[in-house]
Amino acid sequence: MANILVYIELAGDRPLPASLEALGVGRRIATRLGATNYALLPCASRPSYGDDDIITVLSRSGADKVVLVTHPKLAEAPLHASHGGAIATACGALPPTLVLFASTPGARDLAPRLAAQLAGVYMAEPGLALGPDGSLTLTRTTHGGHWTRTLRADDLERPAVLTLAPGRAPLGTGDEESEVVVLSPTAVGEGFDELGREVDAAAPLGHARVVVGGGAGLGAEALGVASDLARAFGGEAGVTLAAARKTSAASAERVIDATERRIAPRLYIACAASGSFSHLGAVGAETVVAINNDAQAPIFEIARYGLVADAREAAAAIRAALEKRD
Amino acid sequence: MALLRRLRASPDGATAASILGPCEEAALGTALWLRAAVTQGGGKAPVEVLAVGPDQDDEALAYALACGADEAFRVWSPALDGTDFYATAQVLAAAVRLRGSTWVLCGDRSSDEALGATGPAVAEFLGVPHLSGARHVHLAEEGALLVRHRGGDVVRELRVRPPAVLCVAEGPAPPRPPAPAAQAAKKRRSRKASPQRLELSALGIMAEQLRHRQRFLGAAEPRGGSAEILPSAQALVDRLKSDGLI
């Protein structure tokens, strides 16, 4: 029977919601293929049991079995340097056909290296489609969203390692109690010495379901206009690199760009952003809305919906329409 | 050693607007900045740049040389055409090993394929640690580097000891290349001002080892179409609602 491993990342002592979504994806694929869906949980020590303990949460979210790999070093933030050995241990004990990660900075460090270890295939944040015959098709965009690459999993003779954008998939369901498999890591990396840390004030951008981006066309108002509209959606606001260069220090922390911060919301609304490669390459949104008064702006080529309008006026009109809806 | 690649043309042949992507620029800029810092401390840290790719990658290497890199190397074989990150990393790692580099810097993610897999895979083949999403790399004591890394809800400062692969997301821009006349004069003075070729055979790699990787990139197609232009803000809100997005 094929094995699907879903890496579970923790925030404190709770699984990240995005990891539970990935577990749900694994559940649906496992059901269709007749595979076993494993929740892979590297952690510092065995979790405690209780009414709503982590094993129960993973079981209810679709895990057939929960694999615990425990070592004190695994209390660190997940990176290959500290967690790679734990994942390799699980893959050695339960050779996978598919390994799923929620797309987080830690996963982007761990997943491609695991793919190389397994001599496997790696896809970052693909769209997944399960055909009626059980076939799995993976699609991702390239070249700033202007091209797509498609792989049929049936064509693969090797394990596939995927990172999945958060907020795209419903949670899975499962029994109350999964079997627990406990493994000791065969090797644990030293990790890196942490010399300091500070709060990342703009971190919510990375897991928001709706993000509004202000472009250079809004000048110094880019973050303000984007923030007002984002609040109306219950989302987060950012700016393009070009906009940040025209505005404040607060904007600099919220730059959405390949060199700064990548986002993967369900909905991205670009206000007065032309659509540079570097900006669009950082946006892995399910749906992009472009608002720009230049109908020829490249962003309209990759957006699903567009408004050819002044972005300030359009943002105000959208806010009014949302208030009317409420 | 900095690993570079020229931004690829789209599958329809449309040339990329710049030679390097922003992350590759940051990797090159970081390598040159570190060399300057080491030199200032009385040490030596020559910057070599390496590409695995067809002739067009010479453009990226020539750019790096013009920015101040010391030597440039390119590996290519028709067997590499269409291969995925795994084969590319296999060749890059063999070349890094041949050159004996301690630190390897590469772009965190290209802005064309946007995969972010090559650096971690190179580290796997070299058997050394790697760090993706590396920012603001600085010199530390005893030959280590200080690197900022954003993860979870915090930004951490990490000390990374050599040897290691750093996948650079943010760093200083490389110095602007001098004017073409000055570049030509520099080229006349040094044979190292042009990229040098490395053959697969010199790296101990057989072409047959690479060919089977070609199917794993996936078929490329233009995304097609363009935005559906809606007549009003109200129409947009209605559409987002009917799509279940809000």
Side-chain angles (χ1 to χ4, degrees), chain A residues 194-244:
Chain A
E194 183 177 322
L195 303 183
R197 63 166 60 195
E198 59 194 54
V199 172
D200 180 5
L205 262 176
H207 32 83
R209 292 170 72 86
V210 179
V211 173
V212 180
L218 289 169
E221 297 173 68
L223 186 57
V225 171
S227 296
D228 289 346
L229 185 53
R231 259 193 301 279
F233 280 103
E236 291 287 328
V239 295
T240 64
L241 188 57

Side-chain angles (χ1 to χ4, degrees), chain B residues 6 8 19 34 43 65 76 82 87 93-94 125 160 163 183-184 223 227 231:
Chain B
R6 196 209 188 289
R8 298 292 187 250
I19 295 174
L34 287 172
L65 287 168
W76 183 240
F125 284 114
V160 182
Q183 281 185 47
R223 184 165 170 167

Side-chain angles (χ1 to χ4, degrees), chain A residues 31-98:
Chain A
T31 300
R32 194 70 71 86
L33 301 182
T36 305
N37 193 33
Y38 290 90
L40 168 56
L41 180 61
C43 49
S45 59
R46 286 189 71 150
S48 56
Y49 289 91
D51 288 342
D52 193 26
D53 64 71
I54 193 166
I55 304 296
T56 305
V57 170
L58 297 175
S59 304
R60 287 180 189 151
S61 301
D64 290 315
K65 298 184 183 184
V66 177
V67 183
L68 287 179
V69 188
T70 58
H71 190 281
K73 269 284 190 192
L74 299 174
E76 292 182 10
L79 289 174
H80 178 269
S82 53
H83 286 53
I87 297 172
T89 298
C91 290
L94 304 159
T97 51
L98 185 62

Side-chain angles (χ1 to χ4, degrees), chain B residues 136-200:
Chain B
H136 303 291
V137 180
H138 282 78
L139 281 181
E141 294 169 353
E142 298 171 1
L145 295 177
L146 294 181
V147 186
R148 288 170 72 80
H149 184 267
R150 194 185 278 154
D153 293 342
V154 296
V155 181
R156 298 189 295 155
E157 186 161 55
L158 303 172
R159 178 165 50 208
V160 182
R161 299 178 193 282
V165 175
L166 297 179
C167 310
V168 182
E170 189 181 359
R176 290 183 64 172
Q183 281 185 47
K186 182 183 173 190
K187 198 169 179 178
R188 281 194 297 275
R189 286 195 301 272
S190 171
R191 67 173 179 81
K192 292 177 179 174
S194 298
Q196 302 167 55
R197 285 293 297 270
L198 287 175
E199 300 299 330
L200 279 183

